[in-house]
Amino acid sequence: MTLITAVLCTALATTACTGDNGNGVPVTGTTTTRATAAPTPPPALTRSQARDAITNYSKINNVARASHDRALLDTVEGGPRYAMSLADLKQDQALPKGREPYRPWAYNLAATDLYIPRLGPGEQRWFAAVTRAGSKKQYARVLILAEEARSKGWEMVATIDLDDPQDLPEIVLDEDGYATAVDAASKTLATPVGVLRSAVVDNFVTGGQSTGRKLLAATAPARRQIKVHDETSRKFGPKGTSRFATTPTEFTDAYALKTTSGAFVVFSHTHTQHDAATAPGLQIVPEKEDRAWLGTRPSPVFVYRFTCSDAAAVPDAPGRSRLLGYGCRRTDAQAPAPSISL
């Protein structure tokens, strides 16, 4: 009976069973089941595939840039990176003849660190890389490549130069060398990406007086944004006004990796610049790069649109985030009616 009871107790995993201890004393026990560990998500791609994606980008980018082939460039770029490249091509073609020819180049894979996250089913596949250049590897650029949903090809969606490579936070890697993706909008971070984006835009719009200085540490990139605001707002003196304004972000995707103190976040923002002559009879003459968008005809009012990519270290404990680098391109410009609200 003792043996039979023991077998039955093993079989009835979710119920209590009663037997005796061999001395006629009843015993009651409840069996428990051990939870099965969730399977580890696979990496977005292998390291070899990631290096191939970067190499392919460099190759196609060179051909497309040299021939101003926008459709070809679209096969290896997306998001804010593609918008910026289109702007570069438009401005380049508008410059006078005799401009320097395009010089092919490529990322040095031997000086590139890969940060490939593990991703679950249904999540967009992407990875980050930090490539270094210079005689002492003193220059660093963050790359974000993502899989295009329809073609399944890999596209460069963001590139940001870091002001100081030493500021790159320590990205957590598992025992196999893979990173952990983080929800950039998570409230477990001191500055979720929506708030982070607003703080960066505030640096341009108010010089950081609203949220920029409060939420962002005074890093070199953050100070430079505030300097852009200060210098732009007084460039016309008493003859005109120039101010930045918020506008809905065109590219809302954000990419974040777990660090030892929070997350490393790459995101995009958009802002506009409104220039206007204030004295009667005065008009603004487009500068050389502006002519690709506006021609040569002066106007009392111009509005420019900028697309930007930003990289920041965000803590998971209360504290200010650190803007580590950013880059912007003028991606549109118009000469609206003078009655525009300024």
Side-chain angles (χ1 to χ4, degrees):
M1 286 297 295
T2 300
L3 176 61
I4 294 174
T5 301
V7 172
L8 288 176
C9 283
T10 302
L12 300 176
T14 59
T15 60
C17 59
T18 302
D20 64 59
N21 61 6
N23 298 317
V25 179
V27 294
T28 301
T30 301
T31 62
T32 58
T33 57
R34 180 174 297 176
T36 303
T40 303
L45 73 176
T46 66
R47 296 179 183 84
S48 176
Q49 290 171 329
R51 287 190 287 267
D52 288 345
I54 295 174
T55 299
N56 182 66
Y57 168 75
S58 298
K59 177 182 177 181
I60 300 301
N61 174 68
N62 283 329
V63 175
R65 290 272 188 162
S67 59
H68 294 92
D69 191 333
R70 292 162 171 77
L72 180 61
L73 189 61
D74 189 26
T75 64
V76 291
E77 284 192 349
R81 178 63 266 168
Y82 184 55
M84 294 182 191
S85 293
L86 292 182
D88 289 342
L89 292 176
K90 185 167 185 173
Q91 292 182 185
D92 181 57
Q93 288 182 296
L95 293 175
K97 292 183 178 180
R99 61 181 179 268
E100 292 186 7
Y102 178 80
R103 297 180 180 179
W105 60 277
Y107 290 114
N108 181 4
L109 295 180
T112 299
D113 297 323
L114 300 174
Y115 298 100
I116 303 172
R118 294 182 179 275
L119 301 170
E123 293 184 278
Q124 182 193 25
R125 296 203 300 164
W126 65 275
F127 71 95
V130 178
T131 184
R132 292 173 171 81
S135 58
K136 298 181 180 180
K137 303 296 184 291
Q138 67 270 35
Y139 307 111
R141 174 174 291 180
V142 177
L143 314 177
I144 299 293
L145 288 91
E147 185 183 56
E148 206 281 324
R150 290 171 294 182
S151 70
K152 301 302 180 182
W154 288 92
E155 296 182 336
M156 186 76 71
V157 296
T159 61
I160 306 104
D161 292 331
L162 300 180
D163 273 52
D164 186 351
Q166 300 300 320
D167 287 341
L168 183 71
E170 184 178 353
I171 296 172
V172 175
L173 301 177
D174 62 21
E175 59 184 8
D176 296 316
Y178 292 107
T180 300
V182 174
D183 179 6
S186 173
K187 294 184 178 180
T188 61
L189 296 176
T191 317
V193 68
V195 180
L196 183 64
R197 181 180 289 117
S198 296
V200 168
V201 174
D202 183 62
N203 280 347
F204 287 100
V205 176
T206 73
Q209 296 302 316
S210 180
T211 59
R213 296 175 190 262
K214 178 181 178 181
L215 299 177
L216 298 173
T219 60
R223 292 196 302 268
R224 190 162 61 252
Q225 291 177 341
I226 293 172
K227 183 179 180 181
V228 169
H229 163 270
D230 295 343
E231 293 182 347
T232 301
S233 62
R234 54 178 183 262
K235 70 176 183 176
F236 292 129
K239 297 181 179 180
T241 62
S242 182
R243 69 174 183 82
F244 294 107
T246 60
T247 190
T249 298
E250 183 178 1
F251 304 104
T252 58
D253 288 343
Y255 307 88
L257 295 173
K258 183 179 180 181
T259 67
T260 54
S261 59
F264 176 61
V265 183
V266 174
F267 60 101
S268 176
H269 83 267
T270 309
H271 64 262
T272 56
Q273 178 182 332
H274 299 241
D275 289 358
T278 54
L282 291 182
Q283 297 193 90
I284 303 170
V285 179
E287 296 181 359
K288 182 173 64 175
E289 289 79 8
D290 301 334
R291 294 171 189 168
W293 313 90
L294 303 167
T296 60
R297 186 175 180 178
S299 170
V301 178
F302 288 129
V303 177
Y304 307 95
R305 179 186 180 90
F306 292 89
T307 298
C308 309
S309 287
D310 311 84
V314 180
D316 54 13
R320 292 189 294 178
S321 296
R322 296 177 55 82
L323 185 67
L324 305 180
Y326 77 96
C328 295
R329 295 287 194 285
R330 178 192 296 103
T331 51
D332 191 22
Q334 301 177 31
S339 60
I340 185 173
S341 176
L342 294 174

